[in-house]
Amino acid sequence: MQPIGIFGGTFDPIHYGHLRTAFELWQALGLKEVRFMPTGDPPHRDAPLADAAQRLAMVRAAVADQSAFVVDDRETRREGLSYSVDTLAELRREYPQRSLCLLLGMDAFLGLPTWHRWRELPDLAHIVVAHRPGWKAPTTGPLGELMVDRGTGGVRDLHSATAGRIYVHAVTQLEISSTELRDLIVDGGDPRYLVPDSVRAMLRESGCYAQDGR
Ligand code: ATP
């Protein structure tokens, strides 16, 4: 059975760096689908600037024309702090026989040891790490150990087991970040060609970053 990819993020806002990464991983890994999962109230970073409903609406608009991209809004519906370990445990119960792949950029992977109960994550899903510009795979510390214990260079391992492996994959490097996009919009710039046109239209209509007073 083909694995399900889970792509979490604040998506504040979603941009082509996210979409191209998800697309390349979907193709290269032979995923059944990529599930975009916007965070509700993220525990390990500053609060997002667009509210969950706005971020979710932008993600929905961005993936509308790609049938293998699915939006899962469970974290935005949850009250209080939302932890990836709880989300993955829930998905594991829903899909006991299915391979699950947590898709992360390298920057997110390097921050993994700060995540709540992070050591349980590889038992719930494979972890697939997309190279991002300027980031190197860790060779020391807890993540270096994790790579030695669970690293694999074979996509088939992601299909033959339901969880447990770490796989690093190079994707086309698009150096776009949500932070820079927000700054651009605050400064009156146009995010054209950095985000889908549908998202650009929503950003204009809502004025969500332009109005935050920064
Ligand atoms: P911010 O600038 O607000 O931190 P971001 O652009 O990094 O946002 P997130 O929503 O925090 O976006 O990221 C969600 C996931 O997408 C993370 O796993 C992150 O590593 C990955 N990601 C973000 N930007 C890119 C990019 N340009 N290319 C590949 N992966 C990316």
Side-chain angles (χ1 to χ4, degrees), residues 4 9 205:
I4 292 177
E205 201 166 311

Side-chain angles (χ1 to χ4, degrees), residues 7-22 39 45 55 103-109 115 128 130-133 135 171-182:
F7 195 29
T10 38
F11 302 121
D12 188 21
I14 190 164
H15 53 68
Y16 278 132
H18 299 129
L19 292 162
R20 182 69 203 177
T21 296
T39 53
R45 52 170 274 173
R55 291 182 290 112
L103 312 179
L104 298 175
M106 185 62 83
D107 62 328
F109 180 62
W115 292 21
V128 173
H131 281 290
R132 264 187 92 177
W135 301 91
V171 295
T172 301
Q173 304 195 336
L174 296 175
E175 197 151 9
I176 306 171
S177 83
S178 299
T179 304
E180 284 170 18
L181 270 170
R182 293 192 301 270

Side-chain angles (χ1 to χ4, degrees), residues 194-212:
L194 297 173
V195 300
D197 287 343
S198 54
V199 172
R200 176 173 172 252
M202 293 171 90
L203 287 168
R204 284 194 161 181
E205 201 166 311
S206 69
C208 54
Y209 305 116
Q211 286 170 3
D212 78 1

Side-chain angles (χ1 to χ4, degrees), residues 65-138:
D65 60 356
Q66 171 54 264
S67 60
F69 287 180
V70 175
V71 183
D72 188 324
D73 66 357
R74 72 183 69 207
E75 290 198 352
T76 65
R77 285 188 277 107
R78 218 176 270 156
E79 297 279 320
L81 294 182
S82 173
Y83 293 111
S84 297
V85 68
D86 297 327
T87 303
L88 285 181
E90 207 173 282
L91 284 165
R92 180 44 67 214
R93 285 193 293 275
E94 285 168 31
Y95 300 96
Q97 310 296 338
R98 174 78 74 173
S99 166
L100 299 176
C101 292
L102 180 66
L103 312 179
L104 298 175
M106 185 62 83
D107 62 328
F109 180 62
L110 294 179
L112 204 66
T114 66
W115 292 21
H116 184 58
R117 290 164 43 205
W118 74 278
R119 286 191 186 276
E120 295 171 41
L121 296 173
D123 293 325
L124 296 166
H126 300 297
I127 296 177
V128 173
V129 187
H131 281 290
R132 264 187 92 177
W135 301 91
K136 294 220 157 40

